[in-house]
Amino acid sequence: MIRVLGSHVGGDWTVAAGTLEWSCWTTVAHVAHDLLAYAGQLAGRPADGYLPFDLVVSPAASPAEALAVAAACGNLLAVALDAADPALRAWHFGPCDPTGFAAMGVAETLLHTYDITRGLGVDWQLPARLATVVLARLFPDAPPGPPAEVLLWMTGRAAIAGRPRRGSWTWQAALP
């Protein structure tokens, strides 16, 4: 996200992030929030809900500062993942293991970077390797096809051959 968007902080971040109703700036703040929430879930290990805390990025923060907050929250998630026992379970609509939280962090970052690039008019595509990992962990029912295209379809961002754009979707982070 930082590599892709860092050189575009002078653009108009008040525009919609792709097809989202959020602005590009609000979308970065959302990513920061989710990455911190996932780190908190791993550290706190709640079994039945989200910990009652929230991240608020100052509305006065510039796009560069908002990206720095997202990077810091991503680093906190990385530290929490590194410290987590693979057998750990924490709540995300059911018991979720560290690989689920890692996949959700990657998904949030990839997908919302895509959204923001669409809003800012930046030509960028999701990396196939990372899309493959996200699909394997969060979307076990994904159809075959190019991973980046399939991930965009699974999350309602694009149509793929023979399949209309999805109107709703969920990922499967909790383990059975």
Side-chain angles (χ1 to χ4, degrees), residues 6 30 49 59 136 166 174:
H30 164 79
R166 298 176 89 184

Side-chain angles (χ1 to χ4, degrees), residues 53-161:
F53 75 96
D54 202 0
L55 170 69
V56 176
V57 179
S58 171
S62 69
E65 291 168 326
L67 282 170
V69 172
C73 293
N75 286 335
L76 289 170
L77 176 57
V79 168
L81 287 163
D82 285 346
D85 183 314
L88 178 146
R89 298 294 180 266
W91 191 84
H92 185 79
F93 299 103
C96 185
D97 68 340
T99 64
F101 284 103
M104 289 187 295
V106 171
E108 288 287 341
T109 304
L110 282 179
L111 293 165
H112 289 311
T113 298
Y114 176 84
D115 297 330
I116 295 165
T117 61
R118 302 283 93 52
L120 296 176
V122 174
D123 184 29
W124 180 78
Q125 296 300 319
L126 285 86
R129 183 181 62 81
L130 293 175
T132 299
V133 171
V134 169
L135 286 168
R137 178 57 181 82
L138 300 178
F139 297 100
D141 60 337
E149 292 176 31
V150 172
L151 182 56
L152 292 173
W153 178 77
M154 292 297 294
T155 58
R157 287 168 169 82
I160 56 175

Side-chain angles (χ1 to χ4, degrees), residues 1-2 4-6 8-9 12-20 22-32 63 66-67 70 108-124 157:
M1 176 179 263
I2 304 304
V4 172
L5 298 174
H8 300 284
V9 294
D12 182 2
W13 285 61
T14 65
V15 300
T19 59
L20 302 180
W22 297 331
S23 70
C24 293
W25 187 96
T26 301
T27 304
V28 168
H30 164 79
V31 171
L67 282 170
E108 288 287 341
T109 304
L110 282 179
L111 293 165
H112 289 311
T113 298
Y114 176 84
D115 297 330
I116 295 165
T117 61
R118 302 283 93 52
L120 296 176
V122 174
D123 184 29
W124 180 78
R157 287 168 169 82

